[in-house]
Every structure is written in C-alpha cells, then in structure tokens.
Amino acid sequence: MASRKFKPSVKSTLPFKTGNRERRHKLHIVRKKALDNTRRDQRFRRRKEEDKDPRLREERLRQNIPLTLERKRVWDDVDGDTGDGLGVSVDVERLKRQRLGEEAEEFEDEEDQIDQEEATEAPTSDNDGDSMIDSASDNDESSPAPAKPPSRHRTATGRATSPTQFTLSTNLDLTPSALATRFPTLFSTDPPPLPKTLITTSLHSTLHDEARLLTTLFPNSVYIPRSAHRHSYKYSVREIASFATNRAYTAVLVLKEDQKKPTGLTFVHLPAGPTFHFSISNWVEGKSLPGHGRPTEHNPELILNNFRTPLGLLTAHLFRTVFPPQPDFQGRQVVTLHNQRDYIFLRRHRYVFREKRVTEKSVIGPDGKEVKGVEGIRAGLQELGPRFTMKLRRIDKGIQRASGQEWEWKGGMEKQRTKFQL
C-alpha cells in the first residue's frame, strides 16, 4: 500500500487502488476533479486558439456531427424502376434526381458526339485548282445537306443536372406510376371530393371523449357510438363501411383501446379500401398540455414531413384525403405529421407571425444558412392538442370481413435497425 504522505496530483489520475472503502471514495472524488479540471483547461485553451483563428471553430463544428441512428440509415440498392415499392426502402426523390442526372449526361454526350461529327465533316481547302462553282455543284450532287444541329435550349430534363437540397417536406408529385396503378382510389386524377369522415370505436369501448376529440382534429367528421348491448346487433367494420359509403362518407376511423387508453387507429378508405392499421402511443389531450389553446372550426393547414419511400408516399396520400385541400388561413391552425424512424408524430398548433426579439436567432433553412427575406420575422406557436404518436403496422387489401386475411404490406418483417420503411 502506498504511503499516507503521498497525495495524488489534481492533474493526474489515481496511481493506485486501495481496499479501504472510504479512502477509495475520496480517491474517486479527487480523480473526478482532476479529469474535470483537465477538460476545463482543454476547453479554455481551444477557445483561445479559436478566437485567434475562427476557421478552427468552423472546422470543429463541421466535423462535430453526432452519429445518430438516422445518419446510419441504409437504403436498398435499386437499379431502375422500383415498381410499387411497398417492401423496398428507397428514397424516391433521390432516385428521380439520379435518373434525371443520367438522362442529362446522355443528352450532353449526344451533343458532344454531334459536334465532333460536324467538325470532322466540315469542308477543307483543296489545292487542285477547281473553281468555286464546280466545287459547289459537286458538293450539292454528291453529299446531302447537313443535318440541322439540335437547339441549345435545354429541356426540363436537361436542366435538372444538379441535385437540389433535401428538405423535410414531402413532395407528393414523386409518386411512382406503379403505386398509383395499384391504388387508383388514393391517386385519382380527378379533383378530390370534400372529405367526410365517420369516427367510431371498437366494441365495448369507453373512449367516447377521445373519439369526440378526434372530431375536432379531422374536419367535417362525426362520431357515432358503436353499441355493444347484448340485445343489439354488433356491426362489423365492413358493414359500417358499407353504411358510410351509401351516405357519401370518404373514410371510416376506428379507435381501439386497451386498459381504457387509445392503442390503435384504423383508417378505412372508402369506397373500396385499402385499410391502414396504426398503433397509437403517448396520447396526450389538449387540456393536459401547458399553455394550450382552444381549437376553432377552421379547416387546418396540413404539413407532411419526411415521407420519402413509396410506402411513405402512400401513407402521406392517405392523410391528405382526410383533410380539405383548401384550408382556412384566417384560422391560423396547422396539423403536422412528422415521420421519424417510422414513427409518425401528430401535432396541432396555432401560429402567429411576430417581430424577432434581440435575443432570438434568425430562421435557418435546411442548408444551415439564414433564410433571406425573413430576417426580422419569427413564428410563435401554441399547441392545441391532442398529440399522439402513430406507427404503421399493416395495410389490408380492400375492406375485409376479418382483419389481416389479405394484406398489401405488413410491418415487423425487417430486422435491421438502420433500415426504415417510411
């Protein structure tokens, strides 16, 4: 054992271990203080160096990016068309940019080849002493007129050579044609009808207040209690969908519960399906949120974020069908559906534009730079509720008599944590 006179330096680690519990605890405190002081000295030394050379700080911040699970996300290698792509994890926007880039390169190669052919076929000077008239007549008789060079004005495909900066907002115009053919009711070219939603619950449910709360979230919706009396007829979801179709409803929502809490939400797209099954977690009502507001009857704006795969675009189109295409901007209400790691976070806010305070930063775009034109404007948000988290579990084919008989897509088949489906 070391001598008692030996005291470890505050700038070093412990030189030995001891069996005495109290002394080991004191040595641990000394070692912890030594490590904290060392880190503090390094921090101050780095700050002095970065104050002298700001480029060091920029380089450090550029490399200091946390390695999260989203940055480890992997995509499936797809060559060409993905088909409907429900079981394929591929970024539709990136795939289209890649295809446009390849077409632009082929277009440029064809232009270069035509320019080279024109250069080689250009007439050269002849020293045989032929007259200009004879040479012109010979050229007219022997060789046809040269082809007209293509126009230098590029088409939309030729101009889209540089990839655009990625944003979280979902571009619904990138839907694959095979996916639209497989689900024609969700991807109809006709103007969408005004959404009209019927909300009900599962049998023997006690979530009447939660179901009425959903009627304030989805515009033009009505809640019809689902009776479970022993003398009453227990309607199935298929019979309820038939009832709703005859009354011009566009969707049926079935709220499921477990232990008197919402645990699932089923979307039935009318008149012929498909049926989407979501699980629900972290349900919080608006009155439980601090500083919450009261929603109004205005049609909210809809924001769909980060739906990038064909399955994600299909899910985004489903949510778009239950909200009116023309929101009431005077209500200043917005519903956000943000997808992150296949979890869909639903939030509803009321916003107001105000002047930026001195202590606040300017609005930063997806490229990390300040957005020009809105330097002195900030948006204030007030959450209205409810808030909850959904996860897609299964997509059934059509409207089935019993759930899960025939399905278009089923979750839980992918075991790789870094591969996401939406």
Side-chain angles (χ1 to χ4, degrees), residues 35-50:
L35 293 177
D36 293 341
N37 291 335
T38 303
R39 294 193 187 99
R40 182 176 178 274
D41 293 341
Q42 292 176 355
R43 199 162 55 246
F44 278 99
R45 192 183 308 112
R46 184 176 64 240
R47 181 182 298 177
K48 291 180 180 179
E49 295 175 356
E50 291 177 350

Side-chain angles (χ1 to χ4, degrees), residues 379-414:
L381 295 178
Q382 182 186 33
E383 191 167 359
L384 307 179
R387 65 158 64 170
F388 54 90
T389 306
M390 296 183 292
K391 187 170 185 180
L392 183 61
R393 298 298 182 180
R394 191 176 66 252
I395 301 178
D396 289 342
K397 184 180 298 184
I399 305 174
Q400 301 177 13
R401 193 176 298 274
S403 177
Q405 292 178 343
E406 296 181 7
W407 41 270
E408 301 279 2
W409 177 85
K410 186 177 181 180
M413 296 183 291
E414 183 60 52

Side-chain angles (χ1 to χ4, degrees), residues 106-160:
E106 293 178 358
F107 181 76
E108 292 177 356
D109 294 341
E110 291 178 359
E111 280 189 344
D112 296 340
Q113 186 177 0
I114 292 174
D115 293 340
Q116 292 177 2
E117 292 178 356
E118 291 178 355
T120 55
E121 293 178 358
T124 58
S125 61
D126 196 358
N127 298 326
D128 294 340
D130 295 335
S131 63
M132 295 175 63
I133 299 176
D134 294 335
S135 62
S137 61
D138 293 338
N139 290 334
D140 293 339
E141 294 175 358
S142 59
S143 61
K148 185 179 181 181
S151 176
R152 294 294 179 181
H153 180 68
R154 293 193 174 186
T155 60
T157 303
R159 289 195 300 267

Side-chain angles (χ1 to χ4, degrees), residues 77-94:
D77 295 333
V78 178
D79 297 333
D81 192 9
T82 61
D84 53 28
L86 290 185
V88 180
S89 179
V90 59
D91 190 352
V92 178
E93 186 174 359
R94 184 184 302 177

Side-chain angles (χ1 to χ4, degrees), residues 257-278:
E257 74 163 319
D258 186 19
Q259 297 181 356
K260 298 184 178 181
K261 293 182 180 180
T263 57
L265 192 62
T266 301
F267 282 79
V268 182
H269 182 69
L270 300 179
T275 305
F276 291 73
H277 298 271
F278 295 90

Side-chain angles (χ1 to χ4, degrees), residues 109-314:
D109 294 341
E110 291 178 359
E111 280 189 344
D112 296 340
Q113 186 177 0
I114 292 174
D115 293 340
Q116 292 177 2
E117 292 178 356
E118 291 178 355
T120 55
E121 293 178 358
T124 58
S125 61
D126 196 358
N127 298 326
D128 294 340
D130 295 335
S131 63
M132 295 175 63
I133 299 176
D134 294 335
S135 62
S137 61
D138 293 338
N139 290 334
D140 293 339
E141 294 175 358
S142 59
S143 61
K148 185 179 181 181
S151 176
R152 294 294 179 181
H153 180 68
R154 293 193 174 186
T155 60
T157 303
R159 289 195 300 267
T161 56
S162 60
T164 57
Q165 189 65 244
F166 170 73
T167 57
L168 290 177
S169 59
T170 303
N171 188 0
L172 297 178
D173 296 333
L174 300 177
T175 305
S177 58
L179 190 64
T181 306
R182 188 172 178 178
F183 302 97
T185 56
L186 282 174
F187 301 95
S188 178
T189 57
D190 300 332
L194 185 66
K196 185 179 179 182
T197 308
L198 189 149
I199 300 176
T200 185
T201 59
S202 56
L203 291 173
H204 307 285
S205 177
T206 60
L207 302 180
H208 304 292
D209 295 336
E210 288 79 358
R212 293 189 184 93
L213 190 59
L214 288 180
T215 59
T216 64
L217 178 63
F218 299 101
N220 198 17
S221 60
V222 60
Y223 169 56
I224 299 180
R226 194 174 177 186
S227 176
H229 194 270
R230 61 178 180 177
H231 297 300
S232 63
Y233 181 78
K234 298 177 178 58
Y235 289 92
S236 64
V237 175
R238 190 172 185 177
E239 293 171 331
I240 295 175
S242 177
F243 167 86
T245 303
N246 297 332
R247 286 156 181 80
Y249 284 93
T250 59
V252 173
L253 271 64
V254 182
L255 184 63
K256 299 181 180 179
E257 74 163 319
D258 186 19
Q259 297 181 356
K260 298 184 178 181
K261 293 182 180 180
T263 57
L265 192 62
T266 301
F267 282 79
V268 182
H269 182 69
L270 300 179
T275 305
F276 291 73
H277 298 271
F278 295 90
S279 61
I280 290 181
S281 59
N282 302 329
W283 176 283
V284 181
E285 296 182 1
K287 61 183 181 181
S288 301
L289 299 172
H292 68 90
R294 292 184 179 181
T296 59
E297 296 182 357
H298 295 90
N299 294 335
E301 304 172 44
L302 180 63
I303 298 178
L304 299 170
N305 283 345
N306 208 23
F307 293 91
R308 305 171 64 180
T309 64
L311 181 63
L313 292 176
L314 178 65

